[in-house]
Amino acid sequence: MVDDAGGVGSEFVFELRVCQWVEHNWPPGGERDPDTALVVARQLGTKHRRWDTIVVEADRSALDARADFGERELDSDLLHVVRHAPEEWAWYRDALPDPGYPWRYVREAVHRASDRGLVATRDGTNGRIELRRNWTYPEWVQRVIAIENKPDLDASAARALAPQLERDVALSLADEVWVATAATDGSVEPALFEDIPVEAGVLAVDPTSADFGDGAAVAWHPRTLAVADPGTCITDRPSGGGHDASAARFEYADPAWKERKRREIAERAYERGWRSYVDTMRPDCRHFEVRTADGDRLPWCVTKECQQSAAECSGRCPEYEPEPPAWRQHGWPVAGGPGKAIQRLLDAQRRRRRPGLED
């Protein structure tokens, strides 16, 4: 997390450490309700906006019921099927609400849901596809929190980040919006002097803290956004120059759309989690390791002797060396070498954060 000069490491590693802190210590400055579980993920959002960290606060019992549908995400089409599947057999076009797009896509989603065991199907009268629910889909999402990670939030970074946060506040898709930045020794964090929306919270993270659990503090508390009200989607805004008097362009986002998007984001977070960073790195390199940091495991490059970023850890790295074939020849069929073992380890950690999937 800290480079050789004592400063903040890469934004990627900072992001992992923030996710780690959130998983163990959320909410900041308070006690978590024992009936509330957390799902933490990275790099998720909508078509036009992606957040660094997503925190989904979930009802623990409802999240446990969500496990009946497996560990993979349910996309928008599958959610349309499983949420409206009837208790008794019915033709899918009678049972499901009009989706607003061709029914042939719904039929494909019904087949996909059946293949995954999410619903039961059969051939009815005249070959019509009938379906019936296997389980009631639980409404497990309570709150969604979005966090932007900027370890070095100087003036130029704040100017680039402020318009994004203003869009987040106007759309109010998340219940809270935060900025996580590296703490300084100042009596007032520099981030508070920057031109960021007052509705956004500021989390000051101390990357040099040996105990990361105590290494973050709230510098500014966020306002709770009106997620149940219509939101404003800013599609274009003027540059603000002295000769630019044009108005911003925007669209309204109705509450039903926001509710669907929140559910879809939560589903993607449920499958992915924040430990999926290994999917974009090269754990099959003989120099790739995961080392324990404050109770969790983060990537480590033996050759560079640092916590590498995802951009560094690729097949283009000059130090990249594939695992020797002999490392992967343990058991039959091939079980994989250390790289596969790392992936299984991180996957097991992810599953332990999903009630009902621990076993």
Side-chain angles (χ1 to χ4, degrees), residues 346-357:
L346 295 177
D347 184 61
Q349 285 188 308
R350 181 194 64 82
R351 290 174 63 87
R352 283 198 293 271
R353 293 291 173 176
R354 308 294 185 268
L357 288 178

Side-chain angles (χ1 to χ4, degrees), residues 266-287:
E267 279 290 331
R268 293 200 297 273
Y270 183 86
E271 176 182 6
R272 187 179 302 181
W274 67 270
R275 294 175 180 84
S276 61
Y277 63 80
V278 73
D279 297 336
T280 58
M281 303 177 80
R282 295 307 300 259
D284 60 330
C285 175
R286 67 186 304 161
H287 306 301

Side-chain angles (χ1 to χ4, degrees), residues 67-350:
D68 290 335
F69 295 86
E71 61 186 275
R72 296 164 57 190
E73 74 164 286
L74 303 180
D75 59 32
S76 59
D77 292 339
L78 290 178
L79 283 170
H80 181 72
V81 173
V82 300
R83 293 185 64 245
H84 301 288
E87 294 184 13
E88 303 297 334
W89 291 107
W91 182 34
Y92 76 96
R93 292 188 61 163
D94 286 341
L96 305 178
D98 188 338
Y101 50 83
W103 280 99
R104 65 177 181 275
Y105 298 116
V106 179
R107 185 172 63 248
E108 293 174 2
V110 170
H111 285 304
R112 286 199 293 126
S114 177
D115 291 342
R116 287 175 51 175
L118 306 177
V119 297
T121 59
R122 71 178 185 183
D123 290 334
T125 306
N126 297 325
R128 288 182 169 183
I129 300 173
E130 297 182 348
L131 80 160
R132 184 181 64 185
R133 73 175 60 161
N134 288 335
W135 310 279
T136 300
Y137 181 83
E139 297 299 334
W140 55 278
V141 180
Q142 292 180 327
R143 298 207 313 154
V144 176
I145 292 91
I147 303 176
E148 283 296 313
N149 300 305
K150 293 295 179 185
D152 299 312
L153 190 62
D154 55 16
S156 61
R159 283 194 298 270
L161 183 61
Q164 300 178 38
L165 297 177
E166 290 171 359
R167 287 180 168 89
D168 295 340
V169 171
L171 183 58
S172 62
L173 187 60
D175 294 85
E176 292 177 359
V177 175
W178 290 77
V179 177
T181 185
T184 66
D185 295 329
S187 58
V188 179
E189 291 299 330
L192 298 180
F193 294 109
E194 303 298 348
D195 189 20
I196 59 177
V198 296
E199 293 87 352
V202 177
L203 188 67
V205 179
D206 181 5
T208 66
S209 174
D211 181 3
F212 196 64
D214 295 329
V218 178
W220 185 267
H221 288 276
R223 295 182 185 176
T224 300
L225 304 179
V227 295
D229 294 343
T232 302
C233 182
I234 301 174
T235 58
D236 187 27
R237 59 188 304 156
S239 61
H243 301 286
D244 189 354
S246 57
R249 297 179 181 177
F250 62 91
E251 300 173 351
Y252 286 115
D254 65 85
W257 178 87
K258 291 167 60 175
E259 182 182 9
R260 290 196 303 271
K261 285 300 175 183
R262 286 163 57 87
R263 190 180 294 113
E264 292 168 15
I265 291 171
E267 279 290 331
R268 293 200 297 273
Y270 183 86
E271 176 182 6
R272 187 179 302 181
W274 67 270
R275 294 175 180 84
S276 61
Y277 63 80
V278 73
D279 297 336
T280 58
M281 303 177 80
R282 295 307 300 259
D284 60 330
C285 175
R286 67 186 304 161
H287 306 301
F288 187 98
E289 291 183 358
V290 286
R291 294 192 176 182
T292 301
D294 302 324
D296 217 317
R297 294 171 175 83
L298 298 179
W300 180 267
C301 180
V302 175
T303 300
K304 299 178 181 179
E305 297 185 344
C306 68
Q307 289 176 327
Q308 70 277 34
S309 68
E312 293 174 311
C313 188
S314 67
R316 297 186 300 273
C317 175
E319 306 297 334
Y320 171 69
E321 292 185 50
E323 296 174 343
W327 289 11
R328 301 192 293 269
Q329 301 297 327
H330 301 294
W332 184 261
V334 175
K340 290 295 184 182
I342 289 172
Q343 290 177 314
R344 290 194 294 269
L345 174 65
L346 295 177
D347 184 61
Q349 285 188 308
R350 181 194 64 82

Side-chain angles (χ1 to χ4, degrees), residues 27-89:
E31 294 291 331
R32 189 188 311 171
D33 188 325
D35 294 328
T36 298
L38 295 183
V39 176
V40 184
R42 299 175 47 250
Q43 298 298 319
L44 289 178
T46 65
K47 179 180 179 181
H48 302 289
R49 181 70 168 104
R50 175 173 292 190
W51 292 296
D52 294 335
T53 301
I54 288 288
V55 185
V56 181
E57 295 182 2
D59 178 87
R60 188 174 296 274
S61 59
L63 188 60
D64 187 81
R66 167 60 182 81
D68 290 335
F69 295 86
E71 61 186 275
R72 296 164 57 190
E73 74 164 286
L74 303 180
D75 59 32
S76 59
D77 292 339
L78 290 178
L79 283 170
H80 181 72
V81 173
V82 300
R83 293 185 64 245
H84 301 288
E87 294 184 13
E88 303 297 334
W89 291 107

